[in-house]
């Protein structure tokens, strides 16, 4: 892995690392530093409290070890919300950059098209729809949306993962 990373990183001007919680980010940061390449870290998430204590412990160990190494190595850090920014300690190098939407690709549909799409996908015609899109894992909090469901709106979950029998 280091050999391939080294070959590829030599070809680029900047190394863009997503998330410091993952080992590939750590290895990429090491190789980028060895090659004296600037590093941009995009940190999407903060420490998320998990129901399993071992997961919380591992998160804290990662943050306190190679997470700090990646943060210290980054020339600039991008965060998509202020809560994540609070987690990081390189305030002068941290930039708030909200997630964007391409308004040419994603547009509000007209009533007729909305009705046709709802019929096609067997969705209620006259209820608001609340949708969750993402991996169905505890840290994403999809179960909180499930618990908040109500008869006044339709809740739709889209994603891979394990869900409880109650949710099925």
């Amino acid at each position: 892995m280091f050999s391939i990373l080294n070959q590829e990183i030599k070809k680029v001007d900047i190394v863009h690392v997503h998330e410091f919680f993952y080992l590939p980010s750590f290895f990429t940061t090491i190789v980028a530093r060895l090659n004296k390449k600037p590093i941009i870290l995009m940190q999407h998430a903060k420490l998320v409290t998990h129901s399993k204590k071992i997961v919380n412990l591992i998160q804290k160990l990662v943050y306190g070890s190679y997470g700090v190494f990646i943060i210290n190595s980054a020339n600039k850090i991008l965060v998509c919300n202020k809560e994540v920014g609070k987690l990081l300690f390189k305030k002068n190098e941290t930039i708030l950059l909200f997630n964007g939407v391409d308004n040419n690709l994603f547009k509000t549909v007209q009533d007729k098209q909305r009705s046709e799409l709802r019929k096609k996908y067997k969705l209620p015609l006259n209820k608001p729809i609340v949708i969750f899109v993402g991996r169905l894992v505890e840290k994403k909090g999809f179960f909180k949306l499930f618990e908040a469901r109500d008869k006044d709106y339709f809740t739709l979950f889209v994603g891979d993962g394990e869900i409880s029998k109650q949710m099925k």
Side-chain angles (χ1 to χ4, degrees), residues 135-138 141-147 149 157 159-168:
R135 290 179 297 131
L136 300 173
V137 295
E138 183 179 350
F142 72 93
F143 56 89
K144 291 180 182 179
L145 177 58
F146 177 76
E147 291 169 357
R149 72 196 183 286
F157 294 88
D160 291 332
E162 296 293 322
I163 58 173
S164 68
K165 289 181 182 179
Q166 175 192 7
M167 287 185 70
K168 289 182 182 180

Side-chain angles (χ1 to χ4, degrees), residues 100-147:
V101 174
D102 183 343
N103 290 320
N104 293 318
L105 182 60
F106 298 99
K107 298 177 183 177
T108 303
V109 295
Q110 301 301 318
D111 289 340
K112 182 180 178 192
Q113 186 181 10
R114 180 180 297 112
S115 294
E116 290 170 0
L117 288 166
R118 286 181 178 221
K119 285 177 187 173
K120 178 180 177 179
Y121 293 107
K122 299 178 177 74
L123 298 170
L125 298 176
N126 297 315
K127 270 189 180 182
I129 298 173
V130 177
I131 185 169
F132 171 93
V133 179
R135 290 179 297 131
L136 300 173
V137 295
E138 183 179 350
K139 79 177 195 173
K140 298 285 185 178
F142 72 93
F143 56 89
K144 291 180 182 179
L145 177 58
F146 177 76
E147 291 169 357

Side-chain angles (χ1 to χ4, degrees), residues 7 32 34 54 70 95 107 113 139 150:
Q7 288 172 1
L34 290 171
I54 187 70
I70 295 170
I95 299 167
K107 298 177 183 177
Q113 186 181 10
K139 79 177 195 173
D150 187 274

Side-chain angles (χ1 to χ4, degrees), residues 20-86:
F20 62 71
F21 284 116
Y22 303 107
L23 277 173
S25 298
F26 176 58
F27 298 137
T28 300
T29 300
I30 291 171
V31 176
R33 282 189 64 172
L34 290 171
N35 283 284
K36 296 180 174 44
K37 299 290 181 166
I39 299 166
I40 304 296
L41 168 63
M42 177 66 193
Q43 188 61 33
H44 299 269
K46 61 180 186 168
L47 296 167
V48 178
T49 304
H50 199 278
S51 63
K52 295 181 181 170
K53 290 182 181 181
I54 187 70
V55 174
N56 294 322
L57 176 63
I58 291 169
Q59 284 187 125
K60 288 178 182 175
L61 288 171
V62 166
Y63 176 77
S65 59
Y66 69 78
V68 170
F69 171 76
I70 295 170
I71 292 167
N72 283 331
S73 297
N75 298 83
K76 291 289 179 189
I77 300 171
L78 306 175
V79 295
C80 53
N81 66 66
K82 292 177 184 176
E83 289 300 311
V84 175
K86 290 178 187 174

